[in-house]
Amino acid sequence: MPEQLIYAMEVFLNGLMAGVLYALVALGFVLIFKASGIFNYAQGVMALFSALTLVGIMDGQVPFSHIINAVFGTDIHHFGWHVPALLAIILTMAVMVLFAWLVQRYIFRHLVGQEPIILFMATIGLAYFLEGVGDLMWGSEIKKLDVGLPQGINETIENITFGIFDYGFFIGNLDIVATVIAALLVIALVIFSQYSKEGRAMRAVADDHQAALSVGVSLNFIWIMVWSVAGFVALVAGIMWGTNSGVQFSLSLIALKALPVLMLGGFTSIPGAIVGGLIIGVGEKLFEFAIGPMVGGATENWFAYVLALIFLVFRPQGLFGEKIIERV
């Protein structure tokens, strides 16, 4: 088997793994948009904030220590203990559920019935507020995140041979684990949305708020639940990317890669988020492999957005999105 073909297969597999992670981030957008009609610009910052909180809890860091020390003249930064990774993840998830309740209680409950642009601007404000709170709570320096996920190149895959050709795939253990976890979470979210009582209630709210209210569905409960699930998705994404590249404020930019995924799959479609993520992940890797050297490389930075622009021109609702016709 030619070396170029082996390398193309490796690029394809890496694209699939990246696509699953893109789909996971996109699902956070889709869940909130389906249930409340809100495009949550803060989804990426939620991933950053959850990762910062997880590192802070694991290290036993005192929240807002910089402010406390500045006001009271103290020099306290840590409690003096470390929290196991699993317990820290559970505590971080509790923080994200509290965040979901606060967002619903003090922000979006007062914006029911407002224009979509008002709700969108509210999520922009929420994103910058959450980023600032994360900075004040845990500091702005790059933090190392280690929850026990395997690192390095997978030796089993690296040593695969094809007949007389001794070529292996250079695929990281972390990428494999992240792909498996993300795939399982995506499957769980699909099952939850389609077959659980709460999932059916969520879809009912998405279809018609008033009709859902008339049959006893609590909008407040559904919205808190959806924001909590989106917070969990953000936490998983934050763990995967934070473990790979460290927890830093550029982590919030992962949400930008989810936008082309949503444009391809449709803002209201869970299957669309999955398919769109895989298309973007595989497409950008293969395009960089085949066309990148001819145009100077770095095509991964813009390929997804150009592809999304093409879809917006010819199919603005995406592959699986609903085509909405408004009569005026």
Side-chain angles (χ1 to χ4, degrees), residues 106-127:
Y106 293 104
I107 299 179
F108 292 112
R109 195 180 74 165
H110 302 285
L111 296 177
V112 173
Q114 296 294 327
E115 294 294 326
I117 186 62
I118 301 298
L119 300 174
F120 174 64
M121 293 301 295
T123 66
I124 294 179
L126 177 64

Side-chain angles (χ1 to χ4, degrees), residues 16-25 27 54 86 89 145 147-151 172-190 232-241 243 274:
L16 280 179
M17 292 188 291
V20 172
L21 291 175
Y22 292 159
L24 179 62
V25 177
L27 278 176
L54 177 58
L86 181 58
I89 291 173
L145 176 59
V147 296
L149 296 178
Q151 303 285 335
N173 286 311
L174 178 61
D175 293 331
I176 297 173
V177 172
T179 301
V180 172
I181 293 175
L184 291 176
L185 183 55
V186 167
I187 293 171
L189 289 174
V190 171
F232 178 64
V233 170
L235 172 59
V236 174
I239 290 174
M240 300 310 169
W241 264 289
T243 301
I274 300 170

Side-chain angles (χ1 to χ4, degrees), residues 35 104 109 112-113 200-223:
Q104 173 57 26
R109 195 180 74 165
V112 173
R200 289 192 294 269
M202 182 187 73
R203 287 186 285 127
V205 170
D207 291 337
D208 192 320
H209 289 181
Q210 296 301 321
L213 280 172
S214 67
V215 296
V217 176
S218 171
L219 294 185
N220 285 331
F221 171 76
I222 293 298
W223 286 337

Side-chain angles (χ1 to χ4, degrees), residues 59-232:
D59 291 343
Q61 184 177 342
V62 178
F64 300 105
S65 59
H66 298 289
I67 297 178
I68 294 174
N69 293 333
V71 173
F72 297 101
T74 57
D75 189 24
I76 301 173
H77 295 281
H78 294 83
F79 289 111
W81 64 72
H82 292 273
V83 179
L86 181 58
L87 178 58
I89 291 173
I90 294 173
L91 293 175
T92 303
M93 190 58 232
V95 171
M96 298 309 293
V97 172
L98 175 62
F99 167 76
W101 180 82
L102 291 173
V103 165
Q104 173 57 26
R105 176 68 175 79
Y106 293 104
I107 299 179
F108 292 112
R109 195 180 74 165
H110 302 285
L111 296 177
V112 173
Q114 296 294 327
E115 294 294 326
I117 186 62
I118 301 298
L119 300 174
F120 174 64
M121 293 301 295
T123 66
I124 294 179
L126 177 64
Y128 286 103
F129 171 79
L130 194 60
E131 186 171 326
V133 169
D135 189 0
L136 292 175
M137 285 184 69
W138 308 113
S140 59
E141 67 276 5
I142 299 176
K143 299 174 174 60
K144 181 181 179 180
L145 176 59
D146 183 8
V147 296
L149 296 178
Q151 303 285 335
I153 300 297
N154 188 282
E155 295 181 0
T156 301
I157 299 178
E158 182 183 7
N159 294 325
I160 291 177
T161 59
F162 298 88
I164 62 174
F165 298 99
D166 187 16
Y167 299 119
F169 293 152
F170 291 91
I171 297 177
N173 286 311
L174 178 61
D175 293 331
I176 297 173
V177 172
T179 301
V180 172
I181 293 175
L184 291 176
L185 183 55
V186 167
I187 293 171
L189 289 174
V190 171
I191 294 174
F192 169 78
S193 174
Q194 298 297 322
Y195 300 107
S196 70
K197 179 181 177 181
E198 290 77 12
R200 289 192 294 269
M202 182 187 73
R203 287 186 285 127
V205 170
D207 291 337
D208 192 320
H209 289 181
Q210 296 301 321
L213 280 172
S214 67
V215 296
V217 176
S218 171
L219 294 185
N220 285 331
F221 171 76
I222 293 298
W223 286 337
I224 292 174
M225 178 193 70
V226 169
W227 276 84
S228 298
V229 173
F232 178 64

Side-chain angles (χ1 to χ4, degrees), residues 237-277:
I239 290 174
M240 300 310 169
W241 264 289
T243 301
N244 186 46
S245 58
V247 179
Q248 50 191 312
F249 277 76
S250 62
L251 186 65
S252 62
L253 299 178
I254 64 173
L256 297 180
K257 260 303 175 61
L259 295 182
V261 174
L262 295 171
M263 294 174 189
L264 260 67
F267 281 84
T268 60
S269 174
I270 290 178
I274 300 170
V275 174

